[in-house]
Amino acid sequence: MMFSKFKGLRNSAILPVMSLLFLGLSACSQESAEVAEPAATAPASSTTAATIQSGVTDENLANAANSGEEWLSYGRDPGETRFSPLDQVNYSNVQNLGVAWTYDTGSFRGLEATPLVHDGIMYATASWSVVFAVDARTGEELWRYDPQVDRSLGWKACCDVVNRGVAIYDDKVFAGIIDGRLVALDAATGDVVWSEVTVDQSKPYTITGAPRIADGKVLIGNGGAELGTRGYLTAYNPDNGDIDWRFWVVPGNPADGYENEDVEFAAATWAGNWWEAGGGGNPWDSIIYDPELRLVYVGTGNGSPWSHEHRSEGFGDNLYLSSIVALNVDDGSVAWYYQTTPADNFDYTAVQPLMLTEITINGLPRKVVMQAPKNGFFYVLDAETGDLIYADPYAQVTWASGVDLESGRPIETPQARYDDAISFLTPGPSGAHNWHPMSFSPDTGLLYVPTMQGGAFPYSYDENWEVESAGWNLGIGMGTMVDKAVRPDEEYAGGTGPVYDSPGVLLAWDPVARAPRWVKEYDFTINGGTLATAGNLVFQGGADGYFRAFTADFGELVWEADLGVGIMAAPMTYELDGIQYVSVLVGWGGSSGLIGPNSSGAYKPEGRLWTFRLGGSEIIPVEGMPLPQLTAIEFNDDPAVLAHGEDMYTTHCMLCHGAGGASGGALADLRYAAPATYDIIQNVVREGAFAGRGMPNLGHLLSEDDVDAVKNWLLSLRAGLME
Ligand code: CA
């Protein structure tokens, strides 16, 4: 399975487009349909009303691993192992899973949250940062909070207006809002207790991650490194929203002074005017906390812009980009850091899920922090010191031939720096693993990692890049769209890692043997997060809309159910009144859901929260909406006009409205637009007529003739659908 060649991965004529499919890029905010009224369906027979019995304490959180009844934080326990000791549902009876209840979320976009359960109440989030609480026995809605995000700001969200969930502490529920707010809600009523704006809202910051609790503080980061921001993590007082401390991932303009010694230390690893494009490093997902060591671990993001040459004149490691950083919980100061990708040149974030647990190394138990970040290497670090113990490729890697365990630095291949020619590199910007949570079973000693091998991505330095204040800041040429030669085959060298036979795999990784134990291959690249249980089970949803269970030890498929809609989120499990439930949020979207096809095949399906139990009712997949009836509309079929229209669409519309004119399902499929919409298309595109629904005004990018050409090209596709 060792790396041998990657020539075959990069010979397709459609590669630039395919690469974009895997890129994790878009700036889209349009809502495809009005948000529907949510409704609980198929309630179970229980008559017990859910009420808040007690607030969640630091002690509850610290001991969360010991009992399977509740699920109190994003990754279930402080180390976020996502392992449940429940075994009522197990490998021998999982075939009897049926529906306990469902809750229709009112969302038609990506659902990424892990629900939490406390005192018989389930808390979760939907797109546009909507928070809801339901009775965990019946799915009956208890309250719903819509933060009323201005839809015209959705363009700031690189990868859909998603949200990964809430935190609970004391009697409050905390949620990050896509526009940069952090809100504290009354857990019993959903009423706002306090709300703080955590970012400069004039800049393209977003929040998609779940807040975490550490030593009585609420922690939240932000995203925005693709568009040009300076990333940071902030600790808030849960009672009143006061800032306790802030960790700046990258330095700002030295002329403004350094906020603290850690920032000053980092600044020595930068050059040029890096602050003009923000520098990036945004920690938009992983945060874990060790109450014993009193350390907060945070994963940091990629550089802004992507190109190291543009960002820092090709100089320095650019701390603390693409790093695992341990912070002292009392003041947010850096205890240690480990940089996975020095001088990031690839969008190789290290924000991917972090895990803290004990494994046996050289015969002795050792507390470690583990991560499978985008760059393709699986890292095992000493949790107390940050010393690198292992770094092994878990997927094909061509930007480096390995990691030197002495220095802790990757050994870059010659093609990793692409300033003079276009380099095709693996992993691409969406990584060998992204935010989709991994889990760890202490019974098997295995990690279950949603792994991707989406093909080699063409990285190309763009000499013409300049800082863009309200748009993308990558500094690269988006595939082969720069006037540059592709690096000749003979200039590629090195590379490492297992090569899989499919674009998406469920990888059971043995961190002690430092190798895959078993692998399940899927037809689609991006699949859901995982849950491991003491029932010798691993649960995972697929992009194809199937929810599956495998035996944790050998990876045997023991159950699957068609839910009808692609699954991204991680499942969770809990126990109430002696019954084990398994829940998962199902809604397709994210960057791939905007640009790529809806792999489940359903047209604009509503996202649903599903909960299963043994002996539950029949599983009936969600159906999408019926395809609209098409009426013929005349168009100009001049080939030159159509070609120009396709070109303009691909450049300015595709990342949101889908490749080939076809929406991935999350946003409007323009081929099916109402005739009246075509009548006003100039107003929509060039004057912002649908800005309130999230379609930005692109008048500065597209002329009247350009829009007319796009319209004619789309109408030609529409005519093709009617044949
Ligand atoms: Ca990124």
Side-chain angles (χ1 to χ4, degrees), residues 472-488:
W472 295 90
N473 278 293
L474 304 183
I476 76 160
M478 293 304 289
T480 52
M481 295 176 204
V482 293
D483 186 18
K484 268 209 165 75
V486 174
R487 184 177 301 279

Side-chain angles (χ1 to χ4, degrees), residues 508-541:
W509 177 263
D510 185 332
V512 176
R514 305 170 62 185
R517 177 84 63 84
W518 54 259
V519 166
K520 287 290 148 189
E521 293 177 329
Y522 293 122
D523 293 338
F524 297 100
T525 310
I526 301 176
N527 297 288
T530 68
L531 161 71
T533 76
N536 188 25
L537 289 173
V538 177
F539 289 92
Q540 186 187 28

Side-chain angles (χ1 to χ4, degrees), residues 56-64:
V56 172
T57 65
D58 292 310
E59 195 180 350
N60 294 150
L61 293 168
N63 296 321

